[in-house]
Amino acid sequence: LPHLPNNSPIGRLEDNTYSRYAGASRFGQFPLSKKTKDALRAAKFVVMTDIQRASLPHALCGRDILGAAKTGSGKTLAFIIPVLEKLYRERWGPEDGVGSIIISPTRELAGQIFDVLKDVGKHHNFSAGLLIGGRKDVDMEKERVNELNILICTPGRLLQHMDETPNFDCSQMQVLVLDEADRILDSGFKKELNAIISQLPKRRQTLLFSATQTKSIQDLARLSLKDPEYLSVHEES
Ligand code: ADP
Ligand code: MG
């Protein structure tokens, strides 16, 4: 298993644009877009949580992340902010199609991520869609899915689109997020997850978050991450 630093929230510092922000404790200290900053401020997100403080300096400079932190520690913003900033910096537009895919184990959690994205991303011009099972409008979804910039999905529904939707194109996807990856694997989605990852561009950023560090998470990390930052945060409270 890779060494997990637990005395310091930052696993490795190298010379890069963001290393000087490693000690930041507030979102306002990062060079984020004004669109993101304004929305964070309006939502009263000011001081970062430990996992956000540990991961954002790396995620914002494009590194792969394996972040482990317990439920309620603020993992959602730790990936929503890098997704928004990456697409913003790439000047992602409607004609660019799918720029980011966020995979979540359940419809309910996917819906919660979507709500945070709508809030923190409200000043950006990206289109986003919730692709989850149990919806009847899959045909309409199939017509629209290529116009969406950010997809928030459960594994089954995403794979259904990859298999069935004509011209479904994620060849330009920049950032893959696997949220609650331990729960995705626990729910028996390992095969689906591997099938999905095998169809995504290899040149991408991957942000993998989980509540626990297990063997299956390490296996998934080995298959899907490139020279990742291993961040394990245990908040004392
Ligand atoms: P996790 O995914 O780790 O379980 P969430 O991202 O769902 O955690 O966040 C848990 C709660 O903490 C949410 O209500 C969220 O709005 C809040 N939260 C997250 N980050 C911050 C922050 N920096 N400041 C204040 N509240 C925050
Ligand atoms: Mg979460």
Side-chain angles (χ1 to χ4, degrees):
L1 295 186
H3 172 65
L4 296 175
N6 47 20
N7 51 349
S8 144
I10 306 291
R12 181 181 66 200
L13 285 181
E14 285 171 357
D15 185 30
N16 64 62
T17 327
Y18 279 91
S19 63
R20 74 179 113 144
Y21 301 103
S25 61
R26 294 166 168 254
F27 293 111
Q29 291 170 270
F30 283 121
L32 302 175
S33 65
K34 185 173 185 309
K35 291 174 193 286
T36 299
K37 273 191 176 171
D38 287 350
L40 286 170
R41 198 180 307 116
K44 305 226 162 18
F45 293 129
V46 178
V47 177
M48 289 184 277
T49 65
D50 284 358
I51 186 66
Q52 293 160 3
R53 213 152 41 85
S55 62
L56 281 170
H58 302 290
L60 286 167
C61 67
R63 289 200 191 129
D64 284 1
I65 299 279
L66 170 54
K70 66 176 191 226
T71 302
S73 56
K75 295 189 288 295
T76 316
L77 288 179
F79 57 80
I80 293 284
I81 294 172
V83 165
L84 288 170
E85 292 304 291
K86 172 67 178 175
L87 298 185
Y88 181 73
R89 273 183 273 134
E90 295 288 330
R91 299 174 192 276
W92 211 259
E95 67 290 343
D96 294 315
V98 178
S100 179
I101 295 179
I102 298 170
I103 302 178
S104 162
T106 68
R107 299 170 197 177
E108 191 199 355
L109 287 168
Q112 290 172 12
I113 296 168
F114 194 56
D115 290 340
V116 176
L117 177 65
K118 278 192 289 189
D119 190 18
V120 177
K122 66 185 174 187
H123 299 307
H124 287 279
N125 302 315
F126 308 129
S127 56
L130 192 56
L131 308 183
I132 55 181
R135 290 189 157 194
K136 294 200 191 77
D137 50 356
V138 66
D139 288 334
M140 196 170 71
E141 223 175 71
K142 286 178 181 173
E143 284 170 27
R144 300 228 172 131
V145 68
N146 275 323
E147 296 161 23
L148 298 172
N149 299 140
I150 301 171
L151 307 181
I152 300 176
C153 351
T154 47
R157 187 60 148 228
L158 176 59
L159 202 56
Q160 188 182 353
H161 280 291
M162 286 179 153
D163 290 343
E164 297 176 8
T165 302
N167 311 318
F168 179 66
D169 183 6
C170 41
S171 62
Q172 301 306 308
M173 191 212 63
Q174 307 285 310
V175 189
L176 171 67
V177 177
L178 303 170
D179 187 32
E180 307 249 359
D182 44 353
R183 283 186 64 184
I184 299 178
L185 296 173
D186 289 348
S187 338
F189 278 124
K190 186 173 180 184
K191 246 175 52 196
E192 281 84 353
L193 211 50
N194 287 335
I196 289 166
I197 290 171
S198 72
Q199 294 180 57
L200 294 175
K202 293 219 160 40
R203 210 184 132 86
R204 62 164 195 259
Q205 181 181 20
T206 305
L207 307 175
L208 195 162
F209 285 94
S210 70
T212 57
Q213 287 278 6
T214 60
K215 171 77 167 57
S216 56
I217 288 295
Q218 298 302 338
D219 289 346
L220 179 64
R222 197 160 34 76
L223 291 175
S224 57
L225 304 180
K226 223 175 280 154
D227 191 20
E229 283 300 327
Y230 292 94
L231 307 166
S232 197
V233 171
H234 305 284
E235 281 169 274
E236 311 289 337
S237 57

